[in-house]
Amino acid sequence: MSRIQGRFEALAKAKRKGLIPYIMAGDPHPSLTVPLMHGLVEAGADIIEFGVPFSDPMADGPVVQRSGERALKHGVGLKDVLSLVKQFREKDKTTPVVLMGYANPIEAMGTEKFAAAAKAAGIDGVIVVDYPPEECLDFSALMKKSDIDPIFLLAPTSTKKRIDEVARSGSGYLYYVSLRGVTGAANIDLSDVAAHIPQIRKATKLPIGVGFGIRDAESAKRVAQTADAVVIGSRIIQEIENGSPEDAVMRVKNFLKPIRQALDA
Amino acid sequence: MRMYDLPDARGHFGPYGGVFVAETLTAALDELRVAYERARQDPAFQAEFKYELKHYVGRPSPIYFAKRLTEKCGGARIYIKREDLNHTGAHKINNTIGQALLARNMKKPRVIAETGAGMHGVATATVAARYGMECVVYMGVDDVKRQAANVHRMGVLGAKVVGVESGSRTLKDALNEAMRDWVTNVDSTFYIIGTVAGPHPYPMMVRDFQRVIGDESIEQMQELAGRQPDAVIACVGGGSNAMGIFYPYIENTKVKLIGVEAAGEGLATGKHAASLCAGKPGVLHGNRTYLLQDANGQITETHSVSAGLDYPGVGPEHSWLKDSKRAEYVAVTDDEALAAFHELCRSEGIIPALESAHAVAQAMKMAPKMKKDAILLVNLSGRGDKDMHTVAERSGKKL
């Protein structure tokens, strides 16, 4: 059983909802990334979504963009991202790590080489934002062969036919984008989430994570009424950038704790 | 050559093209694909498009024999396709009219666009005014500074210009920002992409709207010279003017197709925008194509004296034409383009856009090595009024 599947089964058994924080590798500094990852776990993270910096993050809002630009200033590339995960794995062998990024850095490394390196580093899943299932059949097969879950996005605009297609292609979990827009937008539509999740459940047995626009304990709790897990990214990055790097781990933990409590209440 | 029927149903030109976008855009692109397919086969749509090209744009644009330039070069006869004479001064308007008509059919009251040099922005603002649509144009803040006159033109036409601060603050970042706007406002908004790049159906659709350049050329060359040219030459940034003139010639393999990229300060310096000559295939802006990128797969900053060629990718059909060897791609430096700019001004009284000057420079290189009865056809994609500042600066003058 994959670490991701195992984690969701344990959550379901305990009747708990998953908390999936997102941070960008190398932001604010590569030396802080591994401590931040451990901090996320201490604050109650079930899975970590780990951003791969890219120069042209089309699906991301200004907060994640800035975060990527800071990481790129330190020259953080995909190879460095994998080596950070390897370092994280020295102390944490149980928390699933899902890479999230864009296709070009992976293609530049070479998909075969990436699959081998990601497996060796202890990566559990990968979300390639600009790889819809039909454009990455070979890549998905390669990931599955390497015991890495290819995780795909669904959107409020996805048709029923599309939901079926995407549900068939993905593994690990499905990522439902909770709004029409980019990451970190403020216009999450909670009633839309409540309406769409049951539709997706009809098409899949995979757990469903919801992200894009979840900002606090209140929105997390409401989303978790229907979803299996909530993904929080931009607000964590804002915590990281609003203050000195030395206290970043503390700020992020303080931000996540009430959310964890709200999910468990 | 066998019948050319690309792209396939999912927008692939061999390994290039496709739909590489986040799921948030899939439905919008499906809607666009269906609407465009309907328009493509709708005689009423095609008739209105033709009417607009004739009466609003002023088509057909003439082909002109550049007699004095030909004599100076001392070889092949150089003919010029005068896209600079179109309304708004470039080929861009052919495409924006097509897409604006489609937006109107799809009942989208708001259009958005990205722009580098500002020509596509002006062409979009123009048609938005013509059809009474709200218009927002995204433009990198560095380009806003470089192209102040065009920013003002868009303003008087009623468009809102939004400066983009992220990334390298040029065309590619404007494109990212326009995509973000589109994802957010998908119900009300039509995204008018200015070149033959982006996710399917854009590369095919923009090519189809621009093919009028090549269709006219085939007729006009027959009338003027009694035959087709030995080579067709066009500049390539994203590649819409080149695709427009190349496409109707693809099956006529006696005609060489030559795309001219921006070599900037020289390919060896790294300061250029020649994705086909010096890049590697990758995925950006919704399609797989040749890209300028570093070893980590990050898109690199580009350089060209002409803002319209300053783009790190290229339309996927050009990538396919390169690999299949149907077209040949070369690069011309800033200095060579500027020299050609001045040469065309002085010998023909035509002020070309710096983008188009790259194609002129290539013709001037080739012509002397060819026989006097050989024929070159240069696509003069736009006029150079917008470049007066840049040209003055390069000559050490201040306007």
Side-chain angles (χ1 to χ4, degrees):
Chain A
M1 191 194 303
S2 79
R3 264 192 287 246
I4 293 175
Q5 194 190 344
R7 182 58 59 115
F8 274 108
E9 286 184 7
L11 282 166
K13 220 170 159 187
K15 295 200 162 37
R16 293 175 75 222
K17 299 293 181 163
L19 174 59
I20 309 182
Y22 167 101
I23 58 169
M24 179 71 74
D27 174 39
H29 192 275
S31 65
L32 276 167
T33 297
V34 175
L36 269 168
M37 293 173 84
H38 290 304
L40 296 175
V41 176
E42 284 158 25
D46 292 296
I47 294 172
I48 295 174
E49 281 186 4
F50 200 42
V52 182
F54 182 49
S55 52
D56 293 80
M58 242 167 50
D60 286 300
V63 175
V64 175
Q65 272 182 70
R66 280 203 301 273
S67 176
E69 283 175 14
R70 285 192 294 268
L72 287 173
K73 273 199 187 125
H74 298 299
V76 176
L78 182 52
K79 247 192 285 178
D80 308 295
V81 176
L82 295 176
S83 94
L84 288 167
V85 176
K86 213 169 194 168
Q87 282 177 53
F88 170 75
R89 279 274 171 260
E90 287 168 11
K91 284 192 195 152
D92 187 325
K93 302 210 182 326
T94 56
T95 309
V97 174
V98 173
L99 286 194
M100 183 164 184
Y102 293 80
N104 205 53
I106 293 175
E107 295 201 358
M109 177 180 273
T111 49
E112 299 271 349
K113 198 174 156 198
F114 168 74
K119 188 179 180 180
I123 303 288
D124 301 284
V126 55
I127 303 169
V128 184
V129 175
D130 50 354
Y131 262 171
E134 65 278 8
E135 291 284 8
C136 66
L137 299 174
D138 293 346
F139 178 77
S140 294
L142 182 62
M143 288 300 107
K144 287 179 182 169
K145 213 175 84 188
S146 313
D147 303 317
I148 295 172
D149 288 316
I151 294 161
F152 291 103
L153 305 180
L154 281 170
T157 47
S158 302
T159 58
K160 177 166 182 322
K161 182 165 162 269
R162 186 74 188 158
I163 292 172
D164 289 340
E165 281 169 14
V166 173
R168 268 199 305 277
S169 313
S171 65
Y173 57 96
L174 282 174
Y175 188 140
Y176 181 71
V177 173
S178 53
L179 51 82
R180 296 175 185 217
V182 292
T183 53
N187 52 343
I188 184 170
D189 182 347
L190 292 162
S191 59
D192 169 276
V193 175
H196 273 93
I197 301 295
Q199 282 181 24
I200 299 171
R201 291 225 191 269
K202 282 186 200 152
T204 185
K205 289 198 164 51
L206 287 174
I208 301 167
V210 174
F212 283 41
I214 299 172
R215 313 192 60 77
D216 50 24
E218 170 62 21
S219 48
K221 193 177 164 66
R222 289 194 52 192
V223 166
Q225 284 167 3
T226 41
D228 300 297
V230 296
V231 185
I232 304 182
S234 295
R235 274 295 289 116
I236 294 176
I237 291 167
Q238 284 174 330
E239 290 298 320
I240 292 173
E241 66 186 4
N242 290 338
S244 75
E246 298 84 58
D247 312 323
V249 177
M250 189 55 69
R251 286 196 303 277
V252 167
K253 285 169 80 169
N254 288 340
F255 169 74
L256 279 179
K257 273 178 190 159
I259 296 174
R260 177 78 265 176
Q261 282 162 7
L263 289 177
D264 291 343
Chain B
M1 186 170 195
R2 68 176 183 86
M3 206 181 77
Y4 184 85
D5 57 0
L6 297 179
D8 70 13
R10 292 195 159 186
H12 296 107
F13 303 88
Y16 303 109
V19 184
F20 291 89
V21 296
E23 181 62 22
T24 40
L25 274 178
T26 301
L29 287 165
D30 280 346
E31 183 193 4
L32 176 61
R33 198 169 37 74
V34 170
Y36 177 59
E37 208 43 60
R38 200 180 305 132
R40 206 180 182 192
Q41 306 191 15
D42 175 8
F45 180 92
Q46 294 301 334
E48 185 175 13
F49 179 53
K50 276 206 182 110
Y51 182 92
E52 294 290 280
L53 288 182
K54 182 172 176 193
H55 297 280
Y56 189 64
V57 177
R59 301 204 73 91
S61 69
I63 285 184
Y64 163 84
F65 173 51
K67 187 163 175 282
R68 291 200 343 119
L69 183 66
T70 296
E71 281 165 5
K72 279 193 178 170
C73 291
R77 295 160 67 84
I78 300 172
Y79 287 79
I80 294 176
K81 177 66 171 163
R82 299 290 309 275
E83 290 299 297
D84 60 315
L85 294 178
N86 291 337
H87 180 40
T88 73
H91 71 291
K92 293 290 185 189
I93 189 118
N94 303 328
N95 168 51
T96 56
I97 286 193
Q99 291 197 49
L101 289 176
L102 193 57
R104 194 200 55 194
N105 279 7
M106 292 171 74
K107 311 232 177 329
K108 310 270 184 188
R110 177 174 181 265
V111 295
I112 58 171
E114 83 295 337
T115 197
M119 296 313 284
H120 174 57
V122 168
T124 303
T126 299
V127 297
R130 164 83 182 81
Y131 301 116
M133 294 164 166
E134 185 191 343
C135 178
V136 176
V137 178
Y138 290 93
M139 192 169 184
V141 287
D142 287 2
D143 289 335
V144 169
K145 263 185 248 152
R146 285 198 282 187
Q147 305 287 341
N150 269 344
V151 173
H152 192 65
R153 283 170 85 190
M154 289 183 262
V156 300
L157 290 162
K160 183 180 161 205
V161 178
V162 179
V164 176
E165 297 273 359
S166 61
S168 61
R169 307 191 296 189
T170 57
L171 177 57
K172 79 175 174 72
D173 310 286
L175 214 152
N176 292 335
E177 207 55 41
M179 282 277 183
R180 292 182 185 114
D181 178 315
W182 197 32
V183 164
T184 310
N185 302 297
V186 109
D187 289 337
S188 68
T189 300
F190 188 104
Y191 179 15
I192 300 186
I193 292 187
T195 192
V196 286
H200 181 64
Y202 281 102
M204 173 181 81
M205 178 169 72
V206 176
R207 174 198 75 191
D208 293 351
F209 289 141
Q210 291 291 3
R211 68 170 290 169
V212 63
I213 306 172
D215 287 336
E216 287 174 5
S217 296
I218 288 174
E219 270 185 39
Q220 292 166 321
M221 285 310 297
Q222 198 59 42
E223 276 167 30
L224 270 172
R227 70 175 182 95
Q228 297 306 318
D230 296 286
V232 174
I233 304 170
C235 66
V236 177
S240 70
N241 88 81
M243 228 32 257
I245 197 164
F246 286 178
Y247 181 60
Y249 279 107
I250 286 179
E251 289 182 14
N252 183 355
T253 49
K254 281 184 272 182
V255 179
K256 274 194 177 177
L257 306 176
I258 298 168
V260 187
E261 296 195 296
E265 295 177 12
L267 292 185
T269 65
K271 291 188 171 177
H272 59 78
S275 349
L276 290 163
C277 293
K280 280 194 317 182
V283 174
L284 179 70
H285 293 151
N287 65 113
R288 180 175 281 123
T289 191
Y290 278 84
L291 301 173
L292 292 171
Q293 51 181 311
D294 67 16
N296 282 326
Q298 308 296 345
I299 307 307
T300 50
E301 289 191 18
T302 51
H303 168 84
S304 169
V305 68
S306 72
L309 301 183
D310 215 346
Y311 179 64
V314 64
E317 195 162 12
H318 285 295
S319 295
W320 171 246
L321 292 176
K322 172 190 162 77
D323 282 12
S324 66
K325 300 200 162 51
R326 176 60 191 96
E328 184 190 335
Y329 295 88
V330 296
V332 152
T333 64
D334 287 352
D335 288 346
E336 291 170 324
L338 278 158
F341 170 93
H342 289 296
E343 189 56 58
L344 195 69
C345 291
R346 301 297 288 265
S347 61
E348 300 293 345
I350 296 173
I351 302 176
L354 284 174
E355 290 79 8
S356 322
H358 285 72
V360 176
Q362 178 62 20
M364 287 166 56
K365 278 189 195 178
M366 290 171 65
K369 296 177 206 152
M370 298 170 81
K371 288 191 191 140
K372 292 207 165 172
D373 60 353
I375 296 177
L376 294 176
L377 175 61
V378 176
N379 195 18
L380 202 79
S381 54
R383 69 174 184 228
D385 309 50
K386 69 182 174 61
D387 294 315
M388 284 303 128
H389 252 96
T390 311
V391 172
E393 249 171 51
R394 297 283 294 217
S395 339
K397 290 175 198 148
K398 190 115 183 98
L399 288 188

